[in-house]
Amino acid sequence: MENNYLCPKCRSYLNIGTKIVLSVHVKNNQKGLLLFEKELGDYKIKKNDLINYTDGEMVGFFCPICHENLVSEINPNLAKIIMVDENNNEYDILFSKISGEQATYKLDKGKIEAYGSDKSKYLDFFK
Ligand SMILES: [Zn+2]
């Protein structure tokens, strides 16, 4: 079995195939769906071409099912979802909401796995 991703609020499944589906709101008030790769550290995304944002802009991430704001309690620049592995272990997955920033964290009972070229930026917030 593969890893699954859940909304922290309603615990609905957010992944389909190799993708994670999240709802986004961008600054110019456009809303849409974004497809992320399930593999941590892979920053390829798919989106509607009419959803536009520029590097450095904060993107709002929401659960596509319950519409909960996925902002993390650790830092407003980070969003949080839950990963469940094949052994039913749960991990918090945090990732940067800033467009162009590549920073993703997997939290496992105090241990942190960090991914992406900007991963050092938020490491201090986990201490
Ligand atoms: Zn939800």
Side-chain angles (χ1 to χ4, degrees):
M1 205 176 86
E2 300 217 356
N3 295 337
N4 282 299
Y5 291 85
L6 305 178
C7 167
K9 172 98 182 290
C10 71
R11 297 186 66 84
S12 298
Y13 291 107
L14 301 173
N15 55 295
I16 302 171
T18 62
K19 311 287 188 194
I20 299 169
V21 187
L22 294 178
S23 172
V24 293
H25 297 188
V26 297
K27 199 169 64 181
N28 55 9
N29 223 13
Q30 291 165 328
K31 300 176 184 177
L33 296 172
L34 229 59
L35 292 178
F36 296 84
E37 297 296 323
K38 268 175 69 175
E39 190 170 322
L40 300 180
D42 186 335
Y43 293 94
K44 282 195 299 289
I45 57 159
K46 285 197 165 157
K47 65 176 181 65
N48 189 301
D49 288 339
L50 297 176
I51 300 287
N52 289 310
Y53 46 78
T54 51
D55 274 3
E57 183 177 328
M58 185 180 287
V59 176
F61 288 92
F62 297 83
C63 172
I65 294 135
C66 74
H67 306 296
E68 175 78 357
N69 191 334
L70 297 175
V71 63
S72 76
E73 60 277 8
I74 289 173
N75 185 298
N77 285 9
L78 298 174
K80 183 177 103 172
I81 57 175
I82 307 287
M83 175 200 273
V84 183
D85 72 13
E86 63 267 29
N87 298 316
N88 242 7
N89 298 310
E90 289 199 12
Y91 310 92
D92 284 355
I93 304 297
L94 292 96
F95 57 93
S96 174
K97 297 166 60 187
I98 308 297
S99 171
E101 253 181 30
Q102 300 192 341
T104 306
Y105 307 94
K106 178 180 171 185
L107 306 190
D108 177 14
K109 302 178 198 78
K111 284 206 310 274
I112 298 169
E113 287 175 33
Y115 302 83
S117 52
D118 300 306
K119 63 185 177 189
S120 60
K121 189 164 178 181
Y122 298 102
L123 277 176
D124 284 347
F125 290 99
F126 296 102
K127 287 176 183 150

